[in-house]
Amino acid sequence: MLGLRKKCLVTGGAGFIGSQLARRLLAQGCEVTVLDNLFTGSKANIYDLLPNPAFTFLVHDVTQPFWGQFDEIYNLACPASPVHYQHNPVETTKTSLLGIMNALDLALKTKAKVFHTSTSEVYGDPDVHPQPETYWGHVNTIGIRSCYDEGKRAAEAICADYRRQYGVDVRMIRIFNTYGPYMHPRDGRVVSNFAMQALQGKDITIYGDGKQSRSFQYVDDLLDAIELYMAKPRAEVERFFDGKGLGCPVLNVGNPGEFTMLELAQLTLKCLPESKSKLVFQPLPQDDPKRRRPDISLAKEFLGWSPKVPLAEGLPKTIEYFKRFV
Ligand code: NAD
Ligand code: UDP
């Protein structure tokens, strides 16, 4: 019985998005193997999955080759919060590039389908707004964010080349700021910082003047898009993307609702009216993008997908999740 199930590998599957993806794939009846070195992920995110006979957890660093026979490989391993990816930037670039190369090599040998998580960071501090997939970006190659931005750009390039040169079936999504339950409470990203600060009555740390914007996507919307994308037959994927002249299947997936960090702080406090937190202003980190909003026309056209959960709905659910850490 088990042998007939689709076999999926999720690298980074003990992290925020990866653990939710693993949960969803299991619910679809897949056999799931999670491979993670627990750098930013946590076993607590997958405790409930461990007794499931269709679930396997392996502690492994994706910079080292890995092996197994899978139908689908989902590559998510990479620290995603600026605090964490800047902690050991050399390791971040290696994780991003060697991780996807190892995944692609395995896919090449075993004919697996590959899903790769790229990021809106490939657009850098964009001078085109909103950002379509055809925009090549505005990235500092030698700044403190470059380990992540350029690591992810190199990963996209190698995906495109494994597809062109070796015919690997690879599909990429450029994820825009995604939040929700299973984010690490001390992850360092803005949604978790503001929520934890407001819950603990600590100062809410606004970097810069707080007028920079981001577009926040609830994690369930991202998972819906991944599911629809991976279910598409290869011929349909090829036809659609070849027609768009993009060189490789890549889709922006995010929620176009755009908010400044000041607006996010106010929304967070509105969810917790009893909070005693005050806003404090701290220096803006180097190369912090000023504006970000996805153009999701392609995802709408190809997947028939658009996000369903506005920030006003997803934020309270996420804050509710964080209450267990206070
Ligand atoms: P996360 O930090 O919660 O998850 C990343 C996981 O990768 C963690 O479990 C971590 O332990 C693991 N990992 C890191 N280095 C590894 C290595 N060398 N070997 C094995 N495992 C390793 O972050 P997330 O938000 O769940 O992000 C998942 C993926 O999605 C990342 O690739 C990230 O770049 C991408 N992404 C996320 C967002 C977002 O807003 N959440 C936006 C754009 C892209
Ligand atoms: N930010 C902030 N306070 C915080 C954490 C982040 O004002 O405590 C800002 C940060 O400077 C950036 C935005 O929030 O402008 C989003 O930051 P995050 O680290 O979540 O993601 P990214 O910059 O990678 O989009």
Side-chain angles (χ1 to χ4, degrees):
M1 171 66 189
L2 277 182
L4 299 175
R5 294 179 179 192
K6 189 159 70 182
K7 291 187 169 66
C8 301
L9 175 69
V10 181
T11 77
F16 156 48
I17 298 171
S19 60
Q20 300 238 40
L21 177 63
R23 207 165 272 110
R24 186 177 279 221
L25 290 168
L26 284 167
Q28 286 166 10
C30 303
E31 250 185 76
V32 176
T33 299
V34 155
L35 190 153
D36 199 298
N37 71 350
L38 299 177
F39 174 46
T40 54
S42 157
K43 267 206 236 173
N45 285 346
I46 49 169
Y47 270 147
D48 58 316
L49 307 182
L50 294 175
N52 188 332
F55 182 75
T56 305
F57 174 53
L58 301 172
V59 178
H60 184 84
D61 190 313
V62 291
T63 61
Q64 304 302 317
F66 38 92
W67 175 254
Q69 185 69 51
F70 301 100
D71 301 296
E72 296 178 352
I73 301 172
Y74 294 81
N75 185 51
L76 283 83
C78 190
S81 161
V83 179
H84 291 122
Y85 69 65
Q86 288 164 21
H87 171 73
N88 187 341
V90 171
E91 203 53 38
T92 298
T93 303
K94 283 165 76 175
T95 294
S96 193
L97 185 56
L98 298 179
I100 186 62
M101 284 178 73
N102 285 327
L104 290 162
D105 277 334
L106 178 58
L108 185 57
K109 286 184 198 123
T110 58
K111 300 199 181 339
K113 193 195 284 188
V114 177
F115 171 78
H116 176 63
T117 48
S118 189
T119 167
S120 52
E121 288 287 328
V122 299
Y123 301 124
D125 187 8
D127 44 18
V128 167
H129 192 80
Q131 296 82 51
E133 289 85 348
T134 46
Y135 175 50
W136 290 356
H138 180 231
V139 179
N140 179 356
T141 58
I142 51 173
I144 58 171
R145 293 176 84 98
S146 311
C147 56
Y148 185 71
D149 298 11
E150 293 295 349
K152 288 284 187 179
R153 285 166 67 95
E156 284 202 6
I158 202 88
C159 282
D161 283 333
Y162 266 73
R163 176 174 174 267
R164 265 190 296 265
Q165 196 171 329
Y166 301 127
V168 174
D169 181 356
V170 54
R171 304 157 190 218
M172 300 187 272
I173 282 183
R174 292 182 182 147
I175 304 174
F176 284 66
N177 296 64
T178 299
Y179 69 97
Y182 295 96
M183 273 189 112
H184 196 286
R186 290 179 304 282
D187 178 76
R189 283 180 277 189
V190 69
V191 172
S192 44
N193 272 10
F194 286 3
M196 288 302 292
Q197 288 162 346
L199 282 167
Q200 294 171 312
K202 294 184 177 165
D203 288 342
I204 296 199
T205 52
I206 309 265
Y207 300 162
D209 60 10
K211 291 187 183 145
Q212 69 275 30
S213 73
R214 295 291 187 274
S215 299
F216 296 104
Q217 163 174 248
Y218 192 64
V219 63
D220 288 1
D221 284 328
L222 169 66
L223 296 176
D224 288 347
I226 296 175
E227 187 178 336
L228 290 165
Y229 198 17
M230 287 300 273
K232 289 276 185 195
R234 181 171 190 176
E236 199 180 328
V237 174
E238 306 278 322
R239 241 189 343 266
F240 181 81
F241 286 94
D242 287 350
K244 301 291 173 193
L246 275 167
C248 193
V250 64
L251 287 176
N252 284 340
V253 172
N255 190 320
E258 188 180 347
F259 296 83
T260 67
M261 296 313 104
L262 278 174
E263 287 169 334
L264 178 68
Q266 280 148 6
L267 265 175
T268 305
L269 289 173
K270 209 171 135 194
C271 295
L272 293 167
E274 69 286 3
S275 174
K276 306 251 179 309
S277 297
K278 305 260 175 306
L279 306 191
V280 295
F281 291 83
Q282 296 187 352
L284 188 68
Q286 188 193 321
D287 294 339
D288 200 282
K290 286 182 271 310
R291 299 184 74 185
R292 186 182 287 156
R293 172 151 57 102
D295 176 336
I296 55 166
S297 320
L298 276 192
K300 275 186 180 165
E301 183 185 343
F302 187 52
L303 305 177
W305 167 94
S306 49
K308 296 191 189 85
V309 186
L311 189 57
E313 198 181 303
L315 191 58
K317 287 190 198 173
T318 307
I319 292 174
E320 199 50 45
Y321 171 79
F322 283 130
K323 283 185 180 165
R324 71 190 66 181
F325 299 104
V326 179

